[in-house]
Amino acid sequence: MCSIPWGQKMVEHIHKCNRFSKDRLSQDCFSFFVDSEQLGIIRDDILIHFERFPSVFDVNRTNRTVKLSDTLKTSETRSEAMERVLIQLRDEKVIKCLQGWRNECYSVTKNFMETPVFAIERAAAGLLGVKQYGCHLSAYYRSDSEYYMWIGRRSPQKQTFPGMLDNTAAGGMSVGMNPTDTIVKECQEEAGILPELSVKACSVGTISYFYEDERGLFPETDFLFDLEVPRDFIPRPIDEEMAEFYCWSANEVKTKLCSGEFKPNCALILLDFLIRHGLLSPDKEPLYSQLVSGIHNSFPF
């Protein structure tokens, strides 16, 4: 049970998921540019490694800016130069998160669905603080006006947030993928939900937050999907991303959100589910408006 009011506990969690402060830009962070467009933010503890590659990174400590070299004029040349730098740093074992190399690339863009400026290894995206996009699906069914939700537990072998509670299926959006393609793929791989069922998922909006941890900075937008499944449907782990699944009532999920067991962004996604389905009432929750606004953060670039 929550030791403090549930709404206050969730407001505190929202703040934890938005740890990055704009004041940091004048303290220990640098704005990252390609040409004249700011695409990310780099922490000083990470920048000291990139400064070793002046042919790739043009660093101006006076103006607190980092610019990808103007000699790199195409998406391909930028991607190749970035990969060379990251592979060297990975092999030197000087940045911990690069040891979780996934051989999966994210597109780096100023705005969603624009032509990629370059591509970057997924494990390294937080080093540049570039915008990232993910897709999350909540599978549920209704019985006698009660909502029941399928909640996953991440494998203890996961590179990030091992053993924590998660949504039914989720994944980052790789190069060349769109939100629907991504969620259909993740549904089958993580939860054994076949395409003939997952294509019925409804796109229901987004949440956004600016998370920070030892891996770097994560200004992230997640595209959300709801999938109402038959009562006899049971998801099953397929690709070792998930360890098991639980079917909990909405009230049980609400209580568990206070436990600290959920992967941080997944708790925000379930909070959004409770709000959208009217399972959280402004008549009974004094902090309702703060909860609604808190899961739709803006980024400083």
Side-chain angles (χ1 to χ4, degrees):
M1 296 295 291
C2 299
S3 59
I4 61 175
W6 185 88
Q8 183 60 44
K9 188 76 172 179
M10 294 310 300
V11 167
E12 291 178 2
H13 183 77
I14 288 171
H15 290 162
K16 289 178 182 177
C17 289
N18 289 283
R19 293 174 178 171
F20 184 80
S21 166
K22 294 178 182 179
D23 295 338
R24 300 273 301 284
L25 288 173
S26 60
Q27 298 171 5
D28 64 347
C29 291
F30 292 72
S31 299
F32 171 63
F33 287 82
V34 176
D35 295 330
S36 60
E37 297 283 3
Q38 184 178 357
L39 298 182
I41 299 172
I42 303 177
R43 287 199 315 232
D44 188 54
D45 62 313
I46 294 168
L47 182 61
I48 58 175
H49 299 293
F50 290 153
E51 282 184 302
R52 296 166 44 202
F53 304 91
S55 64
V56 178
F57 296 97
D58 180 8
V59 179
N60 188 323
R61 285 193 167 269
T62 301
N63 295 333
R64 306 193 70 80
T65 60
V66 184
K67 188 177 182 182
L68 211 57
S69 173
D70 289 335
T71 63
L72 304 170
K73 298 185 180 300
T74 67
S75 176
E76 290 75 17
T77 57
R78 295 168 189 146
S79 301
E80 290 167 2
M82 187 67 65
E83 183 178 38
R84 287 194 299 271
V85 168
L86 294 172
I87 287 175
Q88 181 171 333
L89 294 175
R90 180 197 65 185
D91 293 346
E92 292 174 356
K93 297 186 168 124
V94 293
I95 300 179
K96 184 177 180 180
C97 69
L98 295 181
Q99 299 311 301
W101 196 276
R102 301 191 184 196
N103 288 314
E104 178 183 352
C105 286
Y106 281 167
S107 296
V108 177
T109 62
K110 181 173 175 59
N111 298 300
F112 180 64
M113 292 296 282
E114 290 184 346
T115 301
V117 177
F118 65 94
I120 188 171
E121 155 64 31
R122 175 176 178 175
L127 302 179
L128 299 183
V130 293
K131 292 178 183 177
Q132 300 175 43
Y133 300 93
C135 298
H136 290 246
L137 178 133
S138 297
Y140 71 98
Y141 69 88
R142 289 176 287 184
S143 178
D144 298 326
S145 75
E146 181 74 67
Y147 280 74
Y148 293 87
M149 305 183 67
W150 283 105
I151 303 297
R153 185 175 295 280
R154 296 164 69 84
S155 165
Q157 281 74 49
K158 284 281 288 183
Q159 295 172 349
T160 56
F161 305 101
M164 300 195 79
L165 295 174
D166 205 325
N167 303 123
T168 315
M173 199 178 313
S174 303
V175 170
M177 299 287 282
N178 62 36
T180 299
D181 291 339
T182 299
I183 208 63
V184 169
K185 170 179 173 289
E186 297 297 339
C187 277
Q188 185 160 8
E189 292 179 351
E190 292 189 349
I193 304 175
L194 297 177
E196 50 261 38
L197 178 57
S198 61
V199 293
K200 298 178 181 179
C202 297
S203 174
V204 292
T206 66
I207 67 164
S208 52
Y209 49 92
F210 202 144
Y211 188 69
E212 178 179 8
D213 62 18
E214 70 281 355
R215 298 169 298 150
L217 302 174
F218 301 87
E220 183 156 331
T221 297
D222 289 329
F223 294 88
L224 310 185
F225 293 79
D226 284 356
L227 177 62
E228 189 165 3
V229 296
R231 289 182 59 178
D232 60 354
F233 172 78
I234 300 176
R236 55 192 177 89
I238 299 295
D239 65 357
E240 301 181 351
E241 295 283 318
M242 292 290 190
E244 56 187 325
F245 289 92
Y246 313 104
C247 185
W248 289 335
S249 70
N251 284 331
E252 289 175 307
V253 171
K254 183 179 176 182
T255 299
K256 274 287 189 179
L257 288 177
C258 290
S259 69
E261 291 184 66
F262 275 97
K263 180 173 178 278
N265 64 328
C266 296
L268 301 187
I269 289 156
L270 290 167
L271 172 60
D272 177 81
F273 184 96
L274 296 176
I275 291 168
R276 288 187 292 100
H277 287 271
L279 302 171
L280 195 62
S281 168
D283 296 336
K284 297 180 180 179
E285 175 49 66
L287 299 178
Y288 183 88
S289 62
Q290 288 179 245
L291 297 175
V292 173
S293 61
I295 56 178
H296 300 100
N297 197 15
S298 60
F299 305 138
F301 61 92

